Amino acid sequence: MTAFKIPRPATAFANAPASGAKRKRVTDDTHLRWLRTLPSVIDGKRPVEAAHIRFADPAYGKRETGKGEKPDDRWALPLSPDLHREQHAGNERLFWAKYGIDPCKVAAALYGVSGDDEQAELIIRTAQETARQLVARSPSEPLNARTQGVEVGR
């Protein structure tokens, strides 16, 4: 019997690059320009900025980014300037939980329809309505990591 070895890249089964190696960032200027024409995913205001999601979410294939590294442009959402500053001012997971938005789900959906204004408006309205229902369900409970099921260590 002949033995053989199946090669396995260092990044196999990992959602982050092998130590010391960075994956090339995927940019999409057309998508970012289009995002900036949409209403804010949280409050519907305009103008907006393209706000990148920094934390990892393996359920969507979103890897964590390191210090000084920006996520791929597919992981961006339209946010009003004030909300964009708030997003980066503290714990990003708690920021999104506070507003009841699943940012990776919305970003993936928007990237899938990039350039289609009508579908984007529907995605944003649906996310806002879902968020209103989620936030309205438990107004007496304070938003924190425990009540939102958020893993704070990342």
Side-chain angles (χ1 to χ4, degrees), residues 9-26:
T11 58
F13 309 108
N15 203 17
S19 62
K22 282 190 177 183
R23 291 185 183 160
K24 185 168 173 49
R25 179 174 177 264
V26 179

Side-chain angles (χ1 to χ4, degrees), residues 36-47:
R36 292 182 190 111
T37 69
L38 300 174
S40 172
V41 72
I42 292 174
D43 61 10
K45 292 181 181 177
R46 286 186 167 104

Side-chain angles (χ1 to χ4, degrees), residues 2 28 52 85 137:
T2 307
D28 190 336
H52 288 81
R85 306 296 166 269
R137 213 176 300 160

Side-chain angles (χ1 to χ4, degrees), residues 73-92:
D73 289 340
R74 73 177 297 136
W75 302 112
L77 292 169
L79 278 182
S80 60
D82 290 342
L83 287 169
H84 192 187
R85 306 296 166 269
E86 183 183 343
Q87 173 203 10
H88 292 304
N91 182 304
E92 187 178 9

Side-chain angles (χ1 to χ4, degrees), residues 4 19 27 33 36 50 56 58 61 69 76 82 84 95 108 126 130 149 152:
F4 64 94
S19 62
T27 60
R33 271 194 306 278
R36 292 182 190 111
E69 184 183 14
D82 290 342
H84 192 187
F95 167 82
T126 301
T130 301
V152 179

Side-chain angles (χ1 to χ4, degrees), residues 52-121:
H52 288 81
I53 304 162
R54 306 257 332 147
F55 64 85
D57 193 332
Y60 295 100
K62 162 94 177 61
R63 70 180 184 86
E64 189 150 8
T65 52
K67 296 257 187 224
E69 184 183 14
K70 190 182 266 191
D72 294 345
D73 289 340
R74 73 177 297 136
W75 302 112
L77 292 169
L79 278 182
S80 60
D82 290 342
L83 287 169
H84 192 187
R85 306 296 166 269
E86 183 183 343
Q87 173 203 10
H88 292 304
N91 182 304
E92 187 178 9
R93 288 181 185 271
L94 288 178
F95 167 82
W96 290 109
K98 171 183 173 181
Y99 292 105
I101 299 282
D102 179 343
C104 292
K105 180 179 181 179
V106 177
L110 289 174
Y111 193 73
V113 300
S114 191
D116 186 335
D117 295 343
E118 188 176 319
Q119 285 300 304
E121 298 264 351

